[in-house]
Amino acid sequence: MMIEAATSEIEKPEIESVKAIYRYLEEKFIKGGATDQEKQQIKHRFFHRPCLWDKATAKFWKPKHAFFEPVSFFGNRRVSIPTSHPYWEVYQLLGQNHSPLVQDYLCFLQELATEYKDLPLNEEDKASLIRVFNRLEAQLSLEGGSIKNIPILTANDGLYLANKIFIPDASWRKDYIDSSLILHPRVSAKLAKNAGALSLIKDVIEKPVDVTKGISIAQDEWCQTWQKAINSPEFQTGLKRLIFHESDSEPIIDMMWLKTVKVSPCRQIKVDLFWKDETKIASAIPGTYYFDEFSRIFHIISSKSKFIMLSYLAESLNNQLGEYAVQNLLPLASIIDAEPQNINNLLNELRIRVLLDDGEKSSEELTQKSDIIDHDEVIRLFVERVERESAQWNYP
């Protein structure tokens, strides 16, 4: 049975032959008590074929492109045929759905991606697409599930796979990146991330191409102060405490290199950006910091703000910790900016946990000490231990 027909072949939409086919399907498969398997076979046969006549648009539609609810957000690429249609049950039998599901939105995206390839979308299709992205995100929250590497709209109005574009979460880099690699501003960053889009701040690698040292007394003095703190043994212990506080285990990491590192202010830092260390996506853009592993120098861009330079240094140092990088950079910046002898007390005030080998003295150790010191000293050691544990567990 063939229901397919080109619009031009039908002189009158209401011709008896078309209505006769719909009546036949209604009598046999709806009123005739057809089995579910037989109904599925009919739907499978016609779901992808233009067989639903719509008088309003004067054309046949594929059932998968027709819905009972309004779908104006699809533009003219989908149609709404309401349940008031005399053969709506037949249309439902052939595959018309009440409203779009996640898969319907994904098919729409793929349709446009295939049609446009690398060309920008026209204004009408772009407007429809943005509305579809919004509805897709809402539908995903209802249905659950995940979407992987779907076509996503970019800043140059093109459609590209999600894992090839960047969410512009580093605004200072965005203007240096080709717009075909940047997420369109009206598309949800959350949706793009779930689909596999990359982060412009986390998923790119900087490689310096030019580092020009700065000449400023104030910035140089700040850097020398921070360098003195980082070189100190108190800083190493404090850094271990920060890692222990977040990871719940003492880090197995060599920190001896911190004893000799230098901190240098720079007037200019130029970097190239690479994706996965392979493809260059930007050249000679302004950078904020750079750690020279060979010379062990933290190069920090100069600023009139001490806080900004300190933030860059904390972030740069944290990047060198690899798997032990901390989530909260504020305590790290605080101990970089502190006098070495004050680091331990500062961390206590911040309620940062003490290391087990530094903060817990056994009863046996205290007893052994009591053999060579007076009882007042034993009491003092015990009070210090209680105070440390109170700070560790946030006791009042």
Side-chain angles (χ1 to χ4, degrees), residues 50-65:
C51 59
L52 305 187
W53 174 254
D54 174 49
K55 185 177 181 180
T57 56
K59 61 180 290 187
F60 281 99
W61 289 85
K62 298 177 181 179
K64 69 174 185 176
H65 291 168

Side-chain angles (χ1 to χ4, degrees), residues 220-230 336-339:
D220 189 62
E221 288 179 350
W222 296 340
C223 289
Q224 290 303 311
T225 299
W226 298 330
Q227 179 180 313
K228 176 184 175 183
I230 294 174
I336 292 175
D337 196 39
E339 291 292 335

Side-chain angles (χ1 to χ4, degrees), residues 9-250:
E9 295 176 353
I10 299 196
E11 297 178 357
K12 295 181 179 181
E14 299 287 338
I15 57 176
E16 285 301 317
S17 59
V18 175
K19 292 194 293 184
I21 294 175
Y22 292 148
R23 284 197 299 270
Y24 168 80
L25 294 173
E26 184 177 40
E27 292 295 327
K28 180 173 178 60
F29 292 96
I30 297 174
K31 297 179 181 180
T35 65
D36 290 340
Q37 182 178 2
E38 290 174 328
K39 291 180 179 179
Q40 284 299 319
Q41 289 175 344
I42 287 293
K43 180 178 179 179
H44 179 74
R45 181 176 180 181
F46 293 107
F47 187 63
H48 298 279
R49 300 181 179 184
C51 59
L52 305 187
W53 174 254
D54 174 49
K55 185 177 181 180
T57 56
K59 61 180 290 187
F60 281 99
W61 289 85
K62 298 177 181 179
K64 69 174 185 176
H65 291 168
F67 303 91
F68 292 115
E69 294 185 358
V71 288
S72 59
F73 44 85
F74 281 126
N76 60 7
R77 293 174 178 270
R78 301 293 186 267
V79 70
S80 172
I81 304 176
T83 53
S84 59
H85 191 281
Y87 295 107
W88 76 271
E89 289 181 301
V90 174
Y91 285 15
Q92 186 177 41
L93 169 71
L94 296 174
Q96 181 178 348
N97 287 323
H98 282 273
S99 58
L101 300 177
V102 167
Q103 190 57 43
D104 296 307
Y105 294 117
L106 297 182
C107 287
F108 181 80
L109 297 181
Q110 190 57 57
E111 177 182 318
L112 291 183
T114 301
E115 178 179 329
Y116 280 93
K117 299 187 185 301
D118 295 331
L119 299 176
L121 278 68
N122 63 40
E123 288 299 318
E124 182 180 357
D125 282 335
K126 182 177 71 172
S128 294
L129 190 60
I130 290 172
R131 296 175 66 187
V132 165
F133 277 123
N134 292 335
R135 297 187 67 93
L136 171 60
E137 187 171 21
Q139 191 65 34
L140 278 168
S141 66
L142 293 176
E143 292 186 34
S146 61
I147 50 175
K148 296 299 181 185
N149 210 25
I150 64 173
I152 295 287
L153 186 66
T154 59
N156 72 336
D157 298 335
L159 271 173
Y160 299 90
L161 293 179
N163 66 359
K164 301 296 184 183
I165 67 174
F166 292 92
I167 298 169
D169 47 5
S171 57
W172 58 93
R173 291 174 173 169
K174 183 184 69 172
D175 293 340
Y176 298 91
I177 310 297
D178 190 290
S179 59
S180 65
L181 300 176
I182 298 295
L183 178 69
H184 193 281
R186 294 183 62 188
V187 176
S188 165
K190 180 180 178 181
L191 177 71
K193 180 180 180 181
N194 290 339
L198 306 171
S199 164
L200 195 54
I201 194 171
K202 294 181 178 179
D203 295 319
V204 298
I205 298 173
E206 285 188 347
K207 291 186 177 181
V209 292
D210 180 32
V211 177
T212 306
K213 291 186 177 181
I215 303 175
S216 171
I217 296 176
Q219 283 88 343
D220 189 62
E221 288 179 350
W222 296 340
C223 289
Q224 290 303 311
T225 299
W226 298 330
Q227 179 180 313
K228 176 184 175 183
I230 294 174
N231 293 160
S232 69
E234 291 88 349
F235 181 83
Q236 293 185 42
T237 301
L239 184 55
K240 288 180 180 179
R241 282 183 65 176
L242 292 178
I243 297 172
F244 176 58
H245 183 78
E246 290 194 2
S247 65
D248 205 31
S249 61
E250 294 194 32

Side-chain angles (χ1 to χ4, degrees), residues 229-292:
I230 294 174
N231 293 160
S232 69
E234 291 88 349
F235 181 83
Q236 293 185 42
T237 301
L239 184 55
K240 288 180 180 179
R241 282 183 65 176
L242 292 178
I243 297 172
F244 176 58
H245 183 78
E246 290 194 2
S247 65
D248 205 31
S249 61
E250 294 194 32
I252 304 174
I253 182 174
D254 177 22
M255 294 187 178
M256 295 301 292
W257 60 277
L258 292 172
K259 294 176 60 177
T260 58
V261 297
K262 297 180 180 180
V263 181
S264 175
C266 295
R267 187 173 69 251
Q268 176 179 268
I269 299 177
K270 295 282 189 177
V271 298
D272 288 344
L273 296 183
F274 292 83
W275 173 56
K276 293 185 178 180
D277 204 22
E278 297 178 357
T279 305
K280 182 187 294 187
I281 61 174
S283 300
I285 76 168
T288 53
Y289 55 78
Y290 160 59
F291 179 64
D292 186 335

